[in-house]
Amino acid sequence: MPPSRQCVAMRVPTVPPSLLLALSLLSPVLWGSAAGSCPSRCVCASNLLSCSQANLSTVPTPLPRFTAVLDLSHNNVTRLRADWAPARLPHLHALLLSHNGLAFVSTEAFAHVPRLRHLDLSSNRLRTLDENLFSDLGELEVLLLYNNEISTVDRTAFENLGRLRKLYLGQNRIARFPLELLREGTRLPQLALLDLSANRLRAVPAGELQALPAWLRDRLYLHNNPLACDCLLFQLLDRGRRRHLSAVEDFQDELRCVLPGATALVKILELAGKPPLNCSKAREAVLEAHLGDSVTLGCDSRWQGVRSRHWVTPGGERVLGDGGNGSVVLLANGSLQLRALRPEDGGTYSCWVAGPLLNETLYVELLVHNFTLHGPHDTLNTAYTTLVGCILSVVLVLIYLYLTPCRCCCCRGTEKPPAPRDDSINSSVLSTTPNHAGGTGEPCGSHVASGAGTGQNGRFKGGGTPPVPARQGPKAQRKVSDPDSVSSVFSDTPIVV
């Protein structure tokens, strides 16, 4: 990164030499009887103590109890022990320790400065951020750690920093993206700027970063890292460029990545449509829905501390609260919820945001398809209905085949008078069953033909023979065969036996 651009992104307030000279001349007057309390080689004025460029190897003592700003930059303080401030400094809110070659910081080093709001540890030789290193600084707002040799960051190093707004970790050796710092409602709930530029990051969780609020993505610096080229990363940064986010727009040339199988860095924002990835540009704020659906249109402003916002529908109507029929609801976070979508609800919605300094207008296009879409529960119900229907069909077929009452059983035990031999004319030429059976058993399904009964194939038999009384003797056991069991559907020609 060019030095000038780095200074713009990470400028640290310094004390001008002219002001130091004026303070040194005025210090006896301002400090009065307390002038003897000002450490040697330091400039003291009111509650400001400047010991910069004094060739110090340790923190000077004693430190006035009312010190509010302590500048120890550009010295040789290589270790910051727990006893560097023997007494409590309840008014100290700014501590500057940059350019000291600092390599060690005790986990108890900040126990006596609980009101610290600005801590500058940049341009030193720190390599690790140990467990609960800054946990005593509950009111810290700005923490500068850039231009060190940090490669290991403990996950609890930033615990209890509920008011931290700006964290500078650029120009280090960090290889793991600390996503836990950005998740909403976790360790740093008020974080508004995170600088991870010029580190050794090879991958970032682009999907989860896209879900972050725009005002946080506007201050997420990832340039000058050897990132692996990925279409999700390209779309994340491409959206940022369209939204004019400063973290992307101001560092377009420094946002580079490495293609698969290559070693040279290429510009991430130039990956659109180029092999081997052929990334496509993301569609910004376009939603698709179907009739009857409910959707929520987000108003993701790049400004933090929005004073007010309102929506304008495609028909030009201004939405300030709930719609008349409850189909349009303005949520507390500024999003617009549409219920029971209709075809006329489609179009471009605009969200007007009144920021602390400037205003912003966001546009969301809604496409409403003119048909309903079955949900997963409907599909599941249809599948179960089909399966139950198939099972019932199989059960009914089995009942029909195996549980139907046998016709033979109904007739057994009932002795019927024999039919005359002339009834054998109803026998089929296709049957191999004998016309008369011996024995005393009744053939299954046999019956007596009547003179006016229905004939074969549903035809009326006009020449039937009336029943003959039972005969005596051996021939009385002869039965007439069942015409129904051997009747043919192919021929009406009788056979005379």
Side-chain angles (χ1 to χ4, degrees), residues 159-188:
E159 286 284 353
N160 301 326
L161 299 183
R163 295 187 180 182
L164 188 65
R165 298 182 61 253
K166 298 180 180 180
L167 176 57
Y168 295 87
L169 289 168
Q171 297 190 39
N172 279 287
R173 302 175 182 178
I174 301 174
R176 182 189 69 86
F177 187 89
L179 184 62
E180 64 274 4
L181 301 181
L182 297 177
R183 289 196 175 100
E184 186 176 358
T186 54
R187 292 178 176 82
L188 306 176

Side-chain angles (χ1 to χ4, degrees), residues 36-94:
S37 301
C38 184
S40 60
R41 293 184 288 182
C42 295
V43 177
C44 303
S46 182
N47 57 359
L48 186 149
L49 192 69
S50 177
C51 304
S52 179
Q53 299 181 0
N55 197 26
L56 299 173
S57 58
T58 59
V59 179
T61 57
L63 294 174
R65 189 173 183 273
F66 49 82
T67 303
V69 178
L70 178 58
D71 183 6
L72 295 170
S73 61
H74 297 276
N75 282 289
N76 296 316
V77 182
T78 59
R79 300 177 70 84
L80 191 65
R81 301 180 182 274
D83 57 352
W84 72 271
R88 187 178 177 89
L89 300 176
H91 302 287
L92 187 66
H93 62 78

Side-chain angles (χ1 to χ4, degrees), residues 429-449:
V429 294
L430 301 178
S431 175
T432 59
T433 306
N435 291 335
H436 305 285
T440 59
E442 180 72 20
C444 181
S446 63
H447 62 277
V448 179

Side-chain angles (χ1 to χ4, degrees), residues 351-415:
C351 178
W352 297 73
V353 180
L357 299 176
L358 299 174
N359 297 333
E360 184 181 15
T361 304
L362 305 176
Y363 299 94
V364 180
E365 183 180 356
L366 177 62
L367 304 178
V368 181
H369 298 289
N370 196 16
F371 58 90
T372 58
L373 183 65
H374 292 290
H377 297 291
D378 297 335
T379 305
L380 191 61
N381 291 338
T382 303
Y384 273 118
T385 303
T386 306
L387 179 61
V388 171
C390 294
I391 293 176
L392 289 177
S393 300
V394 173
V395 171
L396 291 176
V397 170
L398 294 176
I399 291 175
Y400 178 78
L401 292 178
Y402 295 100
L403 299 182
T404 303
C406 179
R407 295 171 56 189
C408 301
C409 301
C410 303
C411 305
R412 288 174 180 168
T414 304
E415 187 72 20

Side-chain angles (χ1 to χ4, degrees), residues 242-276:
R242 294 184 186 182
R243 294 288 304 277
H244 303 288
L245 301 184
S246 60
V248 178
E249 197 170 47
D250 296 342
F251 299 95
Q252 296 188 42
D253 294 336
E254 288 84 5
L255 286 168
R256 296 174 177 269
C257 64
V258 181
L259 288 169
T263 56
L265 294 171
V266 298
K267 294 183 179 180
I268 299 177
L269 294 174
E270 295 181 357
L271 291 178
K274 292 185 178 180

Side-chain angles (χ1 to χ4, degrees), residues 407 426-427 434-435 443-447 480-487:
R407 295 171 56 189
N426 294 307
S427 303
N435 291 335
C444 181
S446 63
H447 62 277
V480 180
S481 63
D482 185 3
D484 287 341
S485 62
V486 294
S487 300

